[in-house]
Amino acid sequence: MSYVVPPSPTVSLPIVGSPNRFPVHRIYCVGRNYAEHAQEMGYTGREAPFFFLKPTDAIVSIEQGHPGTMPYPPLTKNLHYEVELVVAIGEGGSNIAADDAHKHIYGYAVGFDMTRRDLQTDMKKQGRPWCIGKSFDHSAPTGPILPADQAGDVVSAAIRLSVNGQERQTSTISQLIWNIGEVIEHISAAWTLQPGDLIFTGTPSGVGPVVPGDVMVGSVEGIGSITVSVV
Ligand code: MN
């Protein structure tokens, strides 16, 4: 048997301190999961969690200690950054209780949920899916995965993003409306989580535009930092 077109390569992320890599299965993203960001987008911050997906090949793998680049995407005039804590699933399952969620986590990374905000806003107004605003090529620059046993206390970690050296987003993971365990409980009630799944847990307030030439630095304290230039 052979394939009639070349099969897609496995998308993967580096692992901190290991030559092995994390193969990416699905990319789940949580919408509006920090109260101040929900408010800046015009919502109360008290709604049930909701989700969207990005295609696996939206990943731009940021290798350890190396800055990365992402091309400015087509169709938009308002490309936004969103820095997020990314949870990497090591053990799959469905109907996972929040209290058991930690058993399913392989590790953590820093990722950017890049957004064509003008197109997303258009789709929202029309009650249409967000795909064109969220799920475009190169829309998920993501750094190396730090195994959970080396990650320390993720909950109290600071999360930050700067553009050209100016701080734009700053919060702590403790400000999540739905915490990591609750997010895993909700997602695994709707889909069967698989090893290799990534969960982008949401972004704090302070989102804004970038243009070609801008350099974004995103970090989660104790997890790592990524540098990505828009080209
Ligand atoms: Mn996001």
Side-chain angles (χ1 to χ4, degrees), residues 20-217:
N20 299 327
R21 297 183 69 90
F22 184 87
V24 180
H25 176 248
R26 285 183 186 167
I27 306 170
Y28 294 96
C29 301
V30 187
R32 301 193 288 262
N33 201 18
Y34 289 81
E36 285 178 11
H37 173 61
Q39 285 154 10
E40 79 180 346
M41 301 307 286
Y43 299 85
T44 63
R46 293 187 192 283
E47 62 192 329
F50 67 94
F51 309 100
F52 58 91
L53 289 107
K54 292 186 187 246
T56 301
D57 61 1
I59 292 280
V60 178
S61 175
I62 310 302
E63 302 299 313
Q64 217 167 333
H66 294 276
T69 60
M70 71 163 287
Y72 196 90
L75 300 182
T76 186
K77 291 187 170 63
N78 197 18
L79 176 68
H80 274 203
Y81 54 79
E82 295 190 356
V83 66
E84 309 204 2
L85 171 69
V86 179
V87 176
I89 298 296
E91 189 187 316
S94 53
N95 298 311
I96 299 165
D99 286 346
D100 293 329
H102 62 278
K103 300 174 192 162
H104 296 263
I105 297 173
Y106 175 80
Y108 302 94
V110 181
F112 294 162
D113 167 18
M114 299 303 295
T115 302
R116 294 193 282 209
R117 193 72 73 197
D118 43 359
L119 302 187
Q120 182 203 23
T121 303
D122 249 24
M123 293 297 108
K124 275 188 194 174
K125 278 185 197 149
Q126 299 182 57
R128 291 181 176 171
W130 290 5
C131 308
I132 201 166
K134 285 289 194 179
S135 308
F136 54 93
D137 298 344
H138 315 289
S139 61
T142 307
I145 293 175
L146 182 67
D149 57 6
Q150 298 168 44
D153 179 19
V154 178
V155 174
S156 59
I159 180 167
R160 290 196 177 86
L161 179 136
S162 68
V163 178
N164 304 330
Q166 288 198 313
E167 190 155 85
R168 299 287 178 82
Q169 293 187 278
T170 176
S171 189
T172 64
I173 303 304
S174 63
Q175 295 300 304
L176 285 171
I177 297 169
W178 300 94
N179 67 34
I180 295 165
E182 291 167 333
V183 163
I184 288 174
E185 179 171 308
H186 277 92
I187 292 178
S188 69
W191 296 274
T192 302
L193 278 172
Q194 301 286 351
D197 286 341
L198 298 177
I199 302 171
F200 279 61
T201 55
T203 199
S205 61
V207 299
V210 281
V211 295
D214 285 345
V215 180
M216 305 174 285
V217 178

